[in-house]
Amino acid sequence: MPGRAREDRIDSAVLAATRELLGENGYAEMSIGQVAARAGLHRPAIYRRWPSKRHLVVDVVADLLGLQPTPNTGDLRADLTAAMRNLVAALRDTSLSHVLPALVADLANDPELRAHFLATVFEPRRRTTAIALESAIHRGDIDPDIDLDFVLDAVAAPIYYRALFGHLPLTDSLAAQSVDNLLRAIAR
């Protein structure tokens, strides 16, 4: 469909421009006007796709984090460690560690934006981790009585905590340590 290719091109240009501007100027300083100028578009083309700068940034966060699912190879430790290392890399090696704190503040005050963030960023990644954990339960690797929601929160919490507060570095060893501590608590 000819119209769709044009939309994909525009979407890609807008997302790329936003990623660049977030890296250069940060979240607070970025504007839709700057994104439009960088992408070679007019602001209405952006507003037809995203109702606000914040919604656009949520989609860029999803793009930067990637929606690589947690693998489900049958080796829960390896699968969770791979997923947490991907998360660490996205938060450490992109502008996300600078964007996330300001975006989280906006999520607290905007229920529609929060719903968009949960649907676009949070739930897809969480769902794949839940599948890997449920498979481990069925194999008998972990306690079937775990509180799955708590476990899903707990495995990534140290990583997000460091990304939000920046008090200690985000490292691959943090990813492995988070997984190992969690598995000690829930192993059968």
Side-chain angles (χ1 to χ4, degrees):
M1 171 184 267
R4 189 64 199 151
R6 178 180 163 95
E7 289 177 12
D8 287 346
R9 181 187 58 76
I10 291 171
D11 292 352
S12 294
V14 170
L15 292 172
T18 304
R19 278 191 306 273
E20 291 170 9
L21 288 165
L22 286 170
E24 293 169 15
N25 305 327
Y27 178 75
E29 299 301 318
M30 189 197 81
S31 71
I32 292 293
Q34 291 172 333
V35 172
R38 178 74 56 101
L41 301 167
H42 297 286
R43 285 187 298 185
I46 296 172
Y47 282 118
R48 279 193 294 275
R49 290 161 176 78
W50 292 276
S52 72
K53 167 183 124 170
R54 296 174 309 191
H55 287 81
L56 173 57
V57 170
V58 165
D59 286 356
V60 169
V61 167
D63 186 49
L64 289 171
L65 274 176
L67 297 177
Q68 296 176 351
T70 298
N72 189 10
T73 66
D75 181 342
L76 183 62
R77 183 187 183 282
D79 295 343
L80 291 177
T81 301
M84 293 306 108
R85 282 190 174 144
N86 286 337
L87 178 60
V88 163
L91 291 167
R92 178 189 61 214
D93 301 339
T94 70
S95 61
L96 280 179
S97 63
H98 303 293
V99 171
L100 202 55
L103 181 60
V104 167
D106 282 349
L107 296 176
N109 297 316
D110 186 338
E112 180 192 335
L113 182 67
R114 182 177 175 277
H116 178 62
F117 177 84
L118 291 174
T120 304
V121 177
F122 190 77
E123 291 302 331
R125 295 180 64 87
R126 187 176 175 94
R127 197 169 22 259
T128 64
T129 305
I131 290 168
L133 287 164
E134 289 165 349
S135 292
I137 290 170
H138 293 309
R139 288 190 308 271
D141 295 344
I142 59 176
D143 185 344
D145 295 326
I146 64 168
D147 178 340
L148 188 58
D149 285 322
F150 179 83
V151 170
L152 289 166
D153 290 343
V155 70
I159 297 164
Y160 282 114
Y161 191 84
R162 285 193 186 180
L164 287 171
F165 294 103
H167 63 293
L168 291 169
L170 287 163
T171 62
D172 286 343
S173 62
L174 173 64
Q177 184 180 14
S178 295
V179 170
D180 289 342
N181 286 331
L182 175 76
L183 290 179
R184 274 195 290 279
I186 64 172
R188 249 188 140 158

